[in-house]
């Protein structure tokens, strides 16, 4: 089982890219695009590009603002939580892994308990935050 999410507003993202254009046969052609300003400047200033476009070269900063709305996604519903044994034999690192279905989570739960480094393990139902009775 997995939970399907639809229509979730994921925020607005602003990203900046740098583009270099060369003028050829009456139109501007994009010859470079990337998120590194210095790389764009290097292309813009390169002798090869200037020669190829007879000096008719331009570069610009493009700012794109995007709004993302999630139209559909399946998200994990179960989480395996393992308490690993520390170097001193006491409780150590906690490892969390998410799964789409209970059957898979239970398989990995059994495998985790068989590991000598695993102190304890359990499965949590993320839809309600409760432990799964095993």
């Amino acid at each position: 089982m997995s939970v399907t999410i639809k229509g979730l507003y994921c925020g607005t993202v602003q990203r900046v890219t740098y583009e270099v254009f060369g003028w050829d046969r009456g139109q501007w052609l994009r010859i470079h695009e990337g998120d590194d300003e210095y790389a764009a400047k290097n292309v813009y200033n390169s002798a090869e590009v200037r020669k190829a476009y007879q000096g008719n070269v331009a570069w610009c900063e493009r700012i794109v603002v995007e709004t993302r709305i999630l139209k559909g996604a399946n998200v994990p519903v179960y989480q395996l939580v393992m308490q690993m044994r520390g170097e001193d034999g006491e409780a150590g690192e906690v490892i969390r892994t998410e799964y789409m279905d209970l059957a898979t989570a239970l398989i990995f739960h059994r495998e985790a308990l068989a590991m000598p480094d695993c102190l304890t393990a359990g499965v949590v139902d993320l839809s309600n935050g409760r432990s799964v009775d095993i």
Side-chain angles (χ1 to χ4, degrees):
M1 178 180 117
S2 62
V3 174
T4 301
I5 297 175
K6 294 181 181 179
L8 178 66
Y9 173 72
C10 296
T12 301
V13 177
Q14 178 176 316
R15 59 188 174 90
V16 178
T17 59
Y18 300 92
E19 300 173 327
V20 179
F21 296 90
W23 183 260
D24 186 32
R25 297 184 192 136
Q27 62 183 356
W28 287 105
L29 303 174
R30 183 180 313 142
I31 56 176
H32 174 83
E33 178 181 7
D35 58 359
D36 185 354
E37 180 178 5
Y38 297 104
K41 282 183 183 178
N42 287 340
V43 171
Y44 172 76
N45 290 321
S46 76
E48 295 169 13
V49 169
R50 295 215 170 253
K51 182 178 178 185
Y53 294 96
Q54 291 84 39
N56 298 316
V57 182
W59 77 286
C60 69
E61 177 181 83
R62 181 176 65 168
I63 301 170
V64 179
V65 179
E66 299 173 339
T67 299
R68 295 195 172 123
I69 298 173
L70 191 63
K71 293 297 186 180
N74 289 329
V75 296
V77 175
Y78 297 98
Q79 184 178 65
L80 173 63
V81 181
M82 298 182 296
Q83 177 79 55
M84 304 307 285
R85 191 178 313 275
E87 292 179 15
D88 56 1
E90 297 296 319
E93 179 183 12
V94 174
I95 299 173
R96 300 172 190 276
T97 310
E98 296 175 349
Y99 298 97
M100 297 295 235
D101 60 86
L102 182 57
T104 305
L106 292 176
I107 290 168
F108 284 103
H109 176 260
R110 280 192 299 275
E111 290 181 8
L113 290 176
M115 293 170 45
D117 295 0
C118 183
L119 192 60
T120 186
V123 176
V124 176
D125 183 342
L126 295 175
S127 64
N128 60 21
R130 295 186 178 163
S131 295
V132 174
D133 291 331
I134 300 172

